[in-house]
Amino acid sequence: MGTVKLHAVVKEDIDNEIEDFREFFKGDIHLDEKKEFYGPHERVGGFSQLMSFKMMGTYRKIQLAGNTKGEGWVMGGVLVIGPGEQGILYEHIEAKVAERCDIDKVMEAVQKISQ
């Protein structure tokens, strides 16, 4: 398997958020303040999702350092995109706050790039 280039699309840069994120993400980071990459229908998590027992339990477990600035409601996703005609090989669109993608499926898609 060859090299796979990583990209992140973020919607805001408050204080030093993007620079701070570079500690965890080594790929290219693109700022999309107009949220054009997020599609015509912005997916937004609700307060009830954040206050669910599952979410509170998850938060207690991870306790990551970081900031709590910004609106924090727009949900994201993961795309694995192959070159040219390959197009999208894997897509995970967050349906609930903090929903994680299936890493095994991501890796399967990565292995299909330019096969």
Side-chain angles (χ1 to χ4, degrees):
M1 180 170 65
T3 302
V4 175
K5 194 166 185 182
L6 299 175
H7 294 268
V9 178
V10 298
K11 62 182 173 30
E12 60 193 5
D13 185 17
I14 298 173
D15 296 333
N16 290 323
E17 274 183 329
I18 291 178
E19 285 307 311
D20 292 345
F21 185 46
R22 290 185 194 286
E23 178 183 343
F24 306 100
F25 187 84
K26 303 303 180 199
D28 294 336
I29 301 172
H30 308 276
L31 179 60
D32 179 18
E33 292 176 304
K34 293 181 181 178
K35 300 180 195 167
E36 295 173 329
F37 187 78
Y38 292 81
H41 305 289
E42 191 174 274
R43 294 171 330 284
V44 179
F47 186 73
S48 62
Q49 288 180 4
L50 286 177
M51 293 293 104
S52 71
F53 289 115
K54 181 179 180 186
M55 193 61 197
M56 289 188 299
T58 300
Y59 179 75
R60 280 192 203 114
K61 286 180 196 172
I62 57 173
Q63 288 294 313
L64 293 174
N67 73 51
T68 55
K69 297 176 183 171
E71 52 85 16
W73 297 103
V74 175
M75 295 186 287
V78 174
L79 297 172
V80 176
I81 304 171
E85 296 293 318
Q86 276 195 302
I88 297 174
L89 300 171
Y90 174 79
E91 177 180 38
H92 168 78
I93 305 300
E94 212 175 25
K96 293 183 270 184
V97 174
E99 181 180 59
R100 296 180 180 221
C101 64
D102 184 327
I103 296 298
D104 291 333
K105 289 182 180 177
V106 170
M107 294 308 297
E108 285 174 26
V110 167
Q111 290 171 358
K112 291 179 186 174
I113 292 176
S114 293
Q115 280 188 347

